[in-house]
């Protein structure tokens, strides 16, 4: 799996343009159903708004957008292009507009929807999702600091450490890079500790 950029959690941003309120909602999604459920939730929350424009980008090149009553090309497409410019995937954006009484014109709408989407993206925490594995080993306390140094040197993150009778350590790293770490841990513990490697999975790394 190729690594991809997405966001860690939903985020929100708002701008005001000539008394019109633009509220940008952004959320990580993995399927079209999740994207549409997010859209429905925002529409329900803002059912009094004039427009709830949306765009989403899913891995595999699946995209969809809607102007939701705004003039064609002034809302959904600028929202989509802002997401694509940020190189994000598995993301849905809904921009809610409460009309302020002043027409913005086509150029003004494009700028407002683009700016709101960018603000929502900036409010979110962007992460890179990669194919990872967890390397798990239970080590004596005396070896804990050495394991941390070895892990860091091998490009692994210490994902967890459970301090019981010994230290149960979970080390996360990119799939395909784990063999040298496993060898070093086996050497450090003289083969007395079982080193387990999880099945590959997708995670922020």
């Amino acid at each position: 799996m190729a690594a991809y950029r997405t966001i860690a959690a939903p985020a929100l941003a708002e701008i005001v343009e000539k008394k019109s309120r633009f509220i940008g909602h952004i959320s990580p999604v993995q399927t079209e159903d999740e994207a549409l459920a997010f859209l429905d939730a925002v529409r329900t929350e803002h059912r009094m708004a004039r427009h709830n424009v949306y765009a989403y980008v899913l891995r595999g090149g699946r995209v969809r957008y809607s102007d939701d009553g705004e003039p064609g090309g002034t809302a959904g497409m600028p929202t989509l292009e802002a997401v694509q410019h940020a190189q994000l995937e598995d993301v849905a954006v809904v921009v809610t507009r409460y009309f302020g009484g002043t027409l913005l014109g086509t150029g003004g709408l494009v700028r407002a929807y683009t700016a709101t989407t960018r603000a929502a993206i900036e409010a979110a925490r962007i992460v890179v999702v990669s194919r990872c594995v967890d390397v798990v080993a239970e080590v004596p306390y005396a070896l804990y600091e050495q394991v941390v140094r070895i892990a860091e040197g091998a490009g692994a993150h210490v994902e967890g450490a459970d301090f019981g009778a010994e230290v149960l350590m979970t080390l996360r790293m990119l799939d395909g890079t784990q063999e040298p770490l496993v060898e070093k841990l086996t050497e450090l513990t003289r083969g007395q500790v079982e080193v387990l490697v999880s099945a590959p999975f997708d995670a922020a790394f």
Side-chain angles (χ1 to χ4, degrees), residues 19-71:
K19 298 183 180 179
S20 279
R21 286 177 65 207
F22 292 84
I23 307 169
H25 316 258
I26 188 168
S27 180
V29 294
Q30 293 188 321
T31 66
E32 191 164 32
D33 285 345
E34 287 183 14
L36 296 176
F38 175 63
L39 169 62
D40 287 342
V42 174
R43 277 177 171 162
T44 299
E45 181 183 355
H46 295 282
R47 53 186 174 273
M48 302 302 292
R50 178 74 69 90
H51 307 281
N52 282 293
V53 168
Y54 73 87
Y56 59 79
V57 178
L58 302 177
R59 276 183 296 157
R62 290 170 294 163
V63 302
R64 187 172 169 184
Y65 63 91
S66 169
D67 292 312
D68 193 35
E70 295 281 30

Side-chain angles (χ1 to χ4, degrees), residues 135-139 143-144 147-148 151 158 160-162 167-171:
V135 177
V136 180
E138 193 167 25
V139 301
L143 296 181
Y144 172 73
V147 171
V148 170
V158 178
D162 185 7
V167 187
L168 181 62
M169 301 188 67
T170 302
L171 311 171

Side-chain angles (χ1 to χ4, degrees), residues 116-196:
T116 306
T117 304
R118 286 176 178 168
I121 291 169
E122 288 172 6
R125 183 168 69 89
I126 295 175
V127 294
V128 177
V129 175
S130 303
R131 199 69 167 167
C132 297
V133 293
D134 280 347
V135 177
V136 180
E138 193 167 25
V139 301
Y141 278 76
L143 296 181
Y144 172 73
E145 294 294 343
Q146 287 175 267
V147 171
V148 170
R149 285 196 295 272
I150 289 171
E152 290 174 349
H157 299 163
V158 178
E159 189 66 20
D162 185 7
F163 296 90
E166 294 188 307
V167 187
L168 181 62
M169 301 188 67
T170 302
L171 311 171
R172 183 160 297 173
M173 59 197 314
L174 297 175
D175 183 30
T177 67
Q178 62 266 31
E179 200 58 43
L181 175 61
V182 172
E183 289 177 2
K184 287 180 180 178
L185 291 178
T186 301
E187 181 182 330
L188 176 68
T189 61
R190 296 182 173 85
Q192 300 301 304
V193 171
E194 186 178 17
V195 181
L196 303 175

